[in-house]
Amino acid sequence: MVADQPLFPLCLITDRLALGPGGDLLKVVEQALRGGVPAVQLREKDLTSRELFDLASEIRNLTRRHHARLLINDRVDVALAVGADGVHLGHQSLPVAKVRSLLGHKKLIGVSTHRLEEILPAARQGANFLTFSPVYFTPSKAGYGPAQGLERLQSACRTSPIPVLALGGIRPEKLAELRAAGASGIALISAILNAEDPRKAASNMMETLAAEGFCAAAASL
C-alpha cells in the first residue's frame, strides 16, 4: 500500500448541491470527521479552478486536523497544489498511468468502475483501489444504469487484485452482505451528508464497519 499506510474502510464523497439551500459543506464534513470518517473525496465538478482550490484548501486543513485523508476528484493539479493524499479518477479523467507518473508512488489513486472489464486495466496501470457502483439503487448513480447487485460486486472483488470499495445506496444494514461479497470498504454520500446528525451517522457507520470486520481488513492491506 502507498506510503505503508492501510487503506481506509470508508470514504465520504462530497456533494454540496445535495445539501439543499443553506447547507454548509465545510460544517457537514467537519462533523463527519469528528464522527470518525477516515477519508474524504472532494467531488464538486461545477466549481471553477480557483473555487475548487479554495474549497480543497479548507477541507485539507480539516482532514489534517482530524488525521484523515483527502482525495480530489479528477484534478491532479489541485491535489498537488493543496497537498492532498491523492486523486480519484473517472471515465473522462487522464489515464491512470499518466496520473501515476505525475503523482509519484506515494500518493493514492482511486478509480471509478462500473463494469468488470474496467477493473484489471486500472489496477495494472497503477491504481491503489477501485470503487464499484452502483451496488444498490441510488439517484446519484442512476445515469450508470441499474444497480449492479451483490453477485456482480462479488465478481468484481474476485477479479480485482486491489481493494474494492462498494458504492451506491450504502446503508448500515447492508454492510454485512457487502463484507461477505468481498468488499474492502465502502464509499458513500447521502448516508452521512444528508443525515440529520452527520457526526452521529458517521460514528454509527464506523462502529458497524468495525463490527463487520471492515476496519481490520483495511488495516491488513
Side-chain angles (χ1 to χ4, degrees):
M1 182 56 57
V2 167
D4 298 321
Q5 295 178 0
L7 187 71
F8 35 80
L10 183 154
C11 182
L12 173 64
I13 302 171
T14 74
D15 182 358
R16 76 192 195 289
L17 300 180
L19 297 176
D24 188 325
L25 181 63
L26 289 174
K27 288 183 178 179
V28 173
V29 168
E30 182 169 23
Q31 287 302 304
L33 290 167
R34 288 180 180 274
V37 162
V40 175
Q41 177 190 335
L42 181 59
R43 184 179 183 272
E44 305 294 337
K45 295 183 178 182
D46 63 311
L47 296 180
T48 67
S49 294
R50 181 52 190 260
E51 289 170 336
L52 183 62
F53 169 77
D54 289 343
L55 180 58
S57 296
E58 293 189 80
I59 293 183
R60 172 77 286 192
N61 289 335
L62 290 176
T63 54
R64 282 194 177 119
R65 192 180 309 156
H66 292 279
H67 307 289
R69 281 185 273 184
L70 173 63
L71 303 175
I72 306 297
N73 193 76
D74 193 46
R75 295 292 299 271
V76 178
D77 56 340
V78 175
L80 290 170
V82 303
D85 298 285
V87 298
H88 193 86
L89 305 177
H91 293 292
Q92 297 182 355
S93 302
L94 291 172
V96 177
K98 179 60 177 178
V99 173
R100 175 56 71 202
S101 72
L102 294 170
L103 291 181
H105 293 282
K106 293 186 178 181
K107 299 288 187 180
L108 289 168
I109 297 177
V111 176
S112 296
T113 62
H114 308 283
R115 297 179 297 166
L116 296 180
E117 53 266 35
E118 296 169 340
I119 291 173
L120 288 179
R124 289 167 178 162
Q125 290 183 43
N128 298 98
F129 71 95
L130 310 170
T131 57
F132 188 74
S133 69
V135 179
Y136 307 104
F137 173 78
T138 178
S140 67
K141 290 291 182 179
Y144 293 101
Q148 301 275 4
L150 291 172
E151 288 188 10
R152 288 184 66 81
L153 172 64
Q154 186 174 54
S155 295
C157 295
R158 288 176 174 172
T159 299
S160 180
I162 57 179
V164 175
L165 305 187
L167 169 62
I170 307 300
R171 293 288 184 268
E173 62 270 19
K174 302 292 188 181
L175 296 185
E177 60 189 29
L178 292 173
R179 186 75 189 107
S184 298
I186 60 172
L188 48 76
I189 302 173
S190 61
I192 291 177
L193 281 190
N194 298 129
E196 184 175 342
D197 185 340
R199 179 176 181 173
K200 183 177 181 180
S203 178
N204 289 343
M205 190 70 77
M206 291 302 298
E207 288 178 4
T208 307
L209 283 166
E212 297 297 343
F214 280 94
C215 296
S220 68
L221 294 171

